[in-house]
Amino acid sequence: GDAFTFYESWMYSALRELAPAMPGAKPSELAAQCNPQISAKEVRSALAFLVKAGFLQKTGEDEYKQVNKSIKASAEALPLALRSLHKQMMDLAKSAVDNIDKSERNVTGVTVSINRKDYEEIVKDIDALRQKVANLGIARGCGKQVYHLGVQLFPLTKKPDNVNESKKV
């Protein structure tokens, strides 16, 4: 239940990272740092949940530390919650294109025709990149700003009937 709740909203992930990076910050200060901004009431509620669920530990007045440096979710175990979170993050990414200076964000893409074998290789590379980013965050400790890395790879066309996947076009 707690894991499902954690993945229902982007703000739990963001506050899990932000609160330890801002020791002594009041909920209103944490709320003001969030993009999009959320209310101090939402921050107080989220912090209470994160502590109760064991994602954060309160170490002092308005001071928190992460219980575990990383959280790993299984797409099979929490499919609905993860789908909801991914949709929220994609909406935030879409908003970032219009509302965040280009020097503070990186949004790129490529459209290419590939076969199934190439798709599987790319997915492995994406997983390796995601793990590298997570490891950097874990190794270096609390940063001063929270980022989300979202990489999407999805078909823009339907799979044609009777196509030999190994045949290059």
Side-chain angles (χ1 to χ4, degrees), residues 8-11 35-37 81-100 105 107 148-152 154:
E8 280 185 322
S9 174
W10 68 271
M11 73 177 171
N35 189 17
Q37 192 168 339
L82 285 172
R83 279 194 346 211
S84 174
L85 179 65
H86 289 310
K87 287 178 183 180
Q88 288 177 47
M89 292 298 190
M90 284 189 256
D91 287 342
L92 292 173
K94 187 169 88 172
S95 176
V97 171
D98 293 328
N99 300 315
I100 297 178
R105 60 158 172 85
V107 178
H148 174 78
L149 170 67
V151 179
Q152 299 82 34
F154 56 93

Side-chain angles (χ1 to χ4, degrees), residues 4 8 22 39 58-59 62 69 76 81 93 96 106 108 119 129 133-134 145 147 150-151:
F4 187 85
E8 280 185 322
M22 293 180 63
S39 71
K58 192 164 184 165
T59 59
D62 296 316
K69 283 295 188 180
E76 294 79 28
N106 183 300
T108 60
Y119 169 84
L129 172 63
V133 170
Q145 193 171 8
Y147 277 81
V151 179

Side-chain angles (χ1 to χ4, degrees), residues 69-134:
K69 283 295 188 180
S70 66
I71 297 174
K72 196 169 193 174
S74 164
E76 294 79 28
L78 300 164
L80 292 177
L82 285 172
R83 279 194 346 211
S84 174
L85 179 65
H86 289 310
K87 287 178 183 180
Q88 288 177 47
M89 292 298 190
M90 284 189 256
D91 287 342
L92 292 173
K94 187 169 88 172
S95 176
V97 171
D98 293 328
N99 300 315
I100 297 178
D101 188 85
K102 188 176 179 179
S103 66
E104 295 294 319
R105 60 158 172 85
N106 183 300
V107 178
T108 60
V110 62
T111 303
V112 62
S113 173
I114 58 175
N115 61 39
R116 187 67 190 180
K117 182 179 175 193
D118 294 339
Y119 169 84
E120 290 168 2
E121 183 178 335
I122 292 167
V123 168
K124 286 180 185 176
D125 289 343
I126 291 170
D127 286 343
L129 172 63
R130 187 177 36 78
Q131 190 60 52
K132 179 180 179 180
V133 170

